[in-house]
Amino acid sequence: MARPNEEVEALLQEYADLIAITGGEAFKARAYEKAARAIGGHPTDVSRLDAAGLREIPGVGRSIAEKVVEYFRTGRVETIEERRARIPNGVRRLMAIPTLGPKKALALYEDLRISSVDELADAIKAERLRDLKGFGEKTEANILHGIELMRQAGGRILLSAAMETAEDIVTTLSGIDGCEDCAYAGSLRRMKETVGDLDILVAAARSAPFMNALTELPATAEVLVHGPKKTSVRTSEGLQVDLRVVRPASWGAALQYFTGSKAHNIHTRTLAVRAGLKLSEYGLFETESGERVASRTEAEVYERLGLPWIPPTLREDRGEIEAGLRGELPAVVTEDDIRGDLHTHTDLTDGLAPLEDMVTAAAARGYAYYAVTDHAPDMSMQLMTDDKILAQRERVRELDGRHHRMRLLHGTELNIGPEGDVDWPDDFLRDFDLCVASVHSHFGLGRDAMTRRIVRACENPYVNVIGHPTTRLIGRRPGIDADFDEVFAVCARTGTALEINAQPDRLDLGDEDILRAKEYGVKFAVDTDAHSIPQLAHLRYGVGTAQRGWLTTDDVINTWPLRRLRSFLRKERAGRPA
DNA sequence: GCCGTTTTCGGCCCGACTGTTTTCAGTCG
């Protein structure tokens, strides 16, 4: 459903970047960026709209509507192609480096003919940037640091992007005659925050129709390997896709094998060997007789090894096998367990959709409750005022219970200042149903000051959830430096939950921090931080991350009935023991 | 390029931070 919207969003964003690089038309670039966001966040499929329908989307006027129509009619937009021809695509990719914007990217291209990240790294090493106006020592260091961050991501792409491509492919292959089963495996199935390549598995008697279909997908740019057992292609977005077709009788063993992780598989194979068995992608066999003892389903394979079926998100050899052998595998939280979203925005601040539309969309997801948490005044660009948020609260109260009896909570996302202070005093905060508080700036405070800052926010009796606690952006910005062990302890003591922000470029907290925080008895909120209706569906990535952190419903406050949640939100104000 | 009006052109979320400069441009949220 959302694919065409995202295609157009990416296209318009690219055009905006190209305009920004060529310069002189700043407001035009802004207009395209705004339209890109609006279309990306639009709840209905824009490929089905005509020009008049498109123009009803805020930020889309005559010119952009025509370009979108042209794109869906011909697959390209002439004026955008012209811009593309003037600026190599690598120049645009330079802008993905933090601290490097359109102006510096253009200077690098015009003065030094640098048009790729690798060339830039080489140029810095060769000290060729030294004489460039506006580039000093610090700038060089910042760029190098940014490139390092990008390389750590190592060509991996965000979970959400991989998921969309994989689901498209699975849908296509599942429709082919003879397909008995089809699924994605690998790190995607384990819901790792980034994915290096896609592993797709098909169970069928004949492989050729599936192998051919993969090579003929519209997204396929290049065929790397084309054989009867395995075919690999590279998509136009540079993602490698490996397809394997197996006999239906081997489905479970193959799925288990290709899901990994490698460490988990080594461990399960060791168990097999000790039991006089041999585990491969074809099945579980008696070592002596070579007889196959299990292979049709994953559960069957695990069972024969003395294990319960292990959710893919736990398969990292982080103790899940030992826990399974002891019969103590946690019942990890699922998307169905989530009763409501506790961190969302509307167009009162930087969201795209009006309150009424967000609430309707939330109700359609079957939530029992839903919190509206727009930004507070300290994020000055959001232009929030006391009057505006009070008027919103009145409207929230009116809508409360109108949709399938879904209860509405009125909250806000506070900004945690450098000293740990927040936007409003206690007597104003008191009347919110809940407050999320997040760090949005001053990322460079020293470790001690940063720790004090967050601890102080946790100690605020009205702060219920610390939003995106590390503020990392995957592949773009490292998390803040703080003593998180101290933060976790204070969260547990004060009844402050930590967010698992489901935005695919955040997934913050990440799985390893969750595992650590859980040890302190911290509670968590899995929230989307949605700024549009489609983003409400990002919840699945937050839930996957929570699973990777071994969380159960008892750990996640927004799986709880409203009564229990409300009691938690009162913090120590209701006489909670210190 | 969009929007909204003051109905046909002028404003477009605004402020802070950083690094390079010596008064400001670029980037970010």
Side-chain angles (χ1 to χ4, degrees), chain A residues 326-548:
Chain A
R326 289 196 309 268
E328 292 171 6
L329 207 59
V332 288
V333 61
T334 67
E335 205 173 347
D336 284 344
D337 293 324
I338 302 289
R339 296 189 197 224
D341 204 325
L342 299 181
H343 181 180
T344 69
H345 296 272
T346 75
D347 64 358
L348 185 61
T349 55
D350 57 352
L352 285 171
L355 173 67
E356 286 76 4
D357 294 357
M358 290 300 283
V359 168
T360 305
R365 293 182 60 83
Y367 287 148
Y369 47 79
Y370 178 76
V372 178
T373 57
D374 272 312
H375 287 290
D378 287 357
M379 292 283 282
S380 55
M381 71 212 182
Q382 307 296 352
L383 301 173
M384 180 55 86
T385 65
D386 294 9
D387 288 345
K388 277 163 117 176
I389 199 125
L390 291 175
Q392 183 189 56
R393 179 175 303 155
E394 228 170 273
R395 190 69 194 124
V396 165
R397 299 302 183 222
E398 284 167 21
L399 292 170
D400 186 17
R402 286 236 196 122
H403 293 82
H404 311 97
R405 275 183 251 144
M406 182 178 78
R407 299 304 308 272
L408 292 179
L409 303 175
H410 189 239
T412 181
E413 183 184 9
L414 300 164
N415 179 60
I416 305 176
E419 307 293 327
D421 46 312
V422 297
D423 308 60
W424 278 302
D426 284 3
D427 62 353
F428 197 86
L429 295 179
R430 181 172 301 136
D431 296 326
F432 285 103
D433 296 319
L434 89 162
C435 296
V436 177
S438 320
V439 166
H440 295 108
S441 60
H442 302 88
F443 304 121
L445 290 184
R447 185 179 173 88
D448 291 347
M450 190 66 86
T451 306
R452 273 199 306 278
R453 174 189 192 183
I454 300 174
V455 164
R456 212 183 134 212
C458 293
E459 285 172 340
N460 184 313
Y462 297 100
V463 168
N464 304 116
V465 177
I466 301 297
H468 43 75
T470 77
T471 78
R472 69 152 176 188
L473 293 175
I474 296 170
R476 295 195 357 243
R477 188 173 71 203
I480 50 177
D481 184 21
D483 179 352
F484 274 97
D485 284 292
E486 185 175 347
V487 171
F488 298 156
V490 172
C491 281
R493 174 168 61 76
T494 58
T496 311
L498 288 171
E499 184 173 71
I500 298 169
N501 188 298
Q503 293 279 349
D505 61 345
R506 290 194 186 272
L507 295 179
D508 182 12
L509 287 180
D511 53 4
E512 289 179 12
D513 284 333
I514 296 170
L515 285 164
R516 246 169 75 215
K518 184 182 154 98
E519 292 296 308
Y520 288 84
V522 175
K523 300 299 180 192
F524 302 83
V526 182
D527 295 331
T528 63
D529 193 3
H531 284 65
S532 69
I533 289 168
Q535 288 184 1
L536 290 171
H538 285 160
L539 186 74
R540 59 195 300 202
Y541 306 117
V543 170
T545 304
Q547 290 183 348
R548 292 178 58 81

Side-chain angles (χ1 to χ4, degrees), chain A residues 23-305:
Chain A
E25 300 167 288
F27 285 113
K28 190 165 152 181
R30 285 259 282 282
Y32 275 96
E33 264 179 25
K34 200 170 160 227
R37 262 201 315 279
I39 288 175
H42 193 69
T44 61
D45 183 345
V46 294
S47 68
R48 295 163 181 274
L49 297 178
D50 60 10
L54 286 163
R55 291 189 62 177
E56 284 180 19
I57 301 171
V60 178
R62 195 169 61 87
S63 175
I64 293 179
E66 278 172 6
K67 287 187 177 69
V68 175
V69 169
E70 181 186 348
Y71 176 69
F72 285 121
R73 204 184 57 235
T74 68
R76 62 207 299 274
V77 179
E78 203 46 49
T79 45
I80 298 180
E81 295 298 329
E82 284 164 18
R83 289 262 177 175
R84 277 180 174 166
R86 281 161 57 190
I87 304 285
N89 199 25
V91 179
R92 198 180 146 241
R93 269 189 234 115
L94 296 180
M95 287 172 61
I97 301 169
T99 74
L100 220 166
K103 295 294 188 294
K104 287 202 173 83
L106 183 67
L108 290 167
Y109 179 57
E110 289 203 318
D111 295 349
L112 299 174
R113 305 319 280 179
I114 289 170
S115 62
S116 75
V117 176
D118 287 341
E119 284 170 22
L120 177 55
D122 291 344
I124 292 173
K125 285 199 195 85
E127 302 187 353
R128 288 173 57 213
L129 266 59
R130 291 289 157 86
D131 305 325
L132 212 52
K133 192 163 164 258
F135 288 76
E137 232 174 277
K138 284 288 184 75
T139 305
E140 274 186 10
N142 284 340
I143 292 174
L144 280 177
H145 182 236
I147 292 175
E148 181 57 27
L149 273 175
M150 287 174 67
R151 286 188 175 158
Q152 275 169 18
R156 297 175 72 88
I157 66 166
L158 291 182
L159 174 61
S160 53
M163 184 67 83
E164 282 157 16
T165 305
E167 287 183 333
D168 282 355
I169 294 174
V170 168
T171 302
T172 303
L173 298 182
S174 296
I176 293 174
D177 258 0
C179 179
E180 296 209 7
D181 245 315
C182 181
Y184 54 80
S187 53
L188 177 63
R189 185 160 180 246
R190 302 198 313 278
M191 291 281 229
K192 275 197 75 165
E193 59 200 33
T194 60
V195 173
D197 49 28
L198 293 186
D199 295 295
I200 311 278
L201 219 54
V202 165
R206 290 181 55 238
S207 73
F210 302 94
M211 300 307 191
N212 293 336
L214 181 71
T215 63
E216 288 159 11
L217 286 178
T220 294
E222 187 187 354
V223 177
L224 306 170
V225 183
H226 190 173
K229 294 230 153 146
K230 176 183 167 181
T231 294
S232 298
V233 302
R234 198 185 308 285
T235 69
S236 45
E237 286 158 343
L239 182 64
Q240 182 171 331
V241 182
D242 298 340
L243 171 64
R244 288 178 178 82
V245 180
V246 302
R247 301 248 160 215
S250 297
W251 171 253
L255 188 58
Q256 198 277 334
Y257 178 85
F258 288 111
T259 296
S261 66
K262 194 170 208 164
H264 176 88
N265 285 356
I266 289 171
H267 202 152
T268 49
R269 282 202 295 271
T270 309
L271 282 188
V273 169
R274 281 198 212 123
L277 302 166
K278 181 174 79 83
L279 179 61
S280 75
E281 63 263 52
Y282 299 106
L284 189 60
F285 302 88
E286 297 255 11
T287 311
E288 296 228 333
S289 65
E291 185 193 343
R292 168 153 39 195
V293 297
S295 63
R296 184 163 284 276
T297 67
E298 276 193 336
E300 204 176 286
V301 172
Y302 279 113
E303 192 191 351
R304 192 63 182 72
L305 294 172

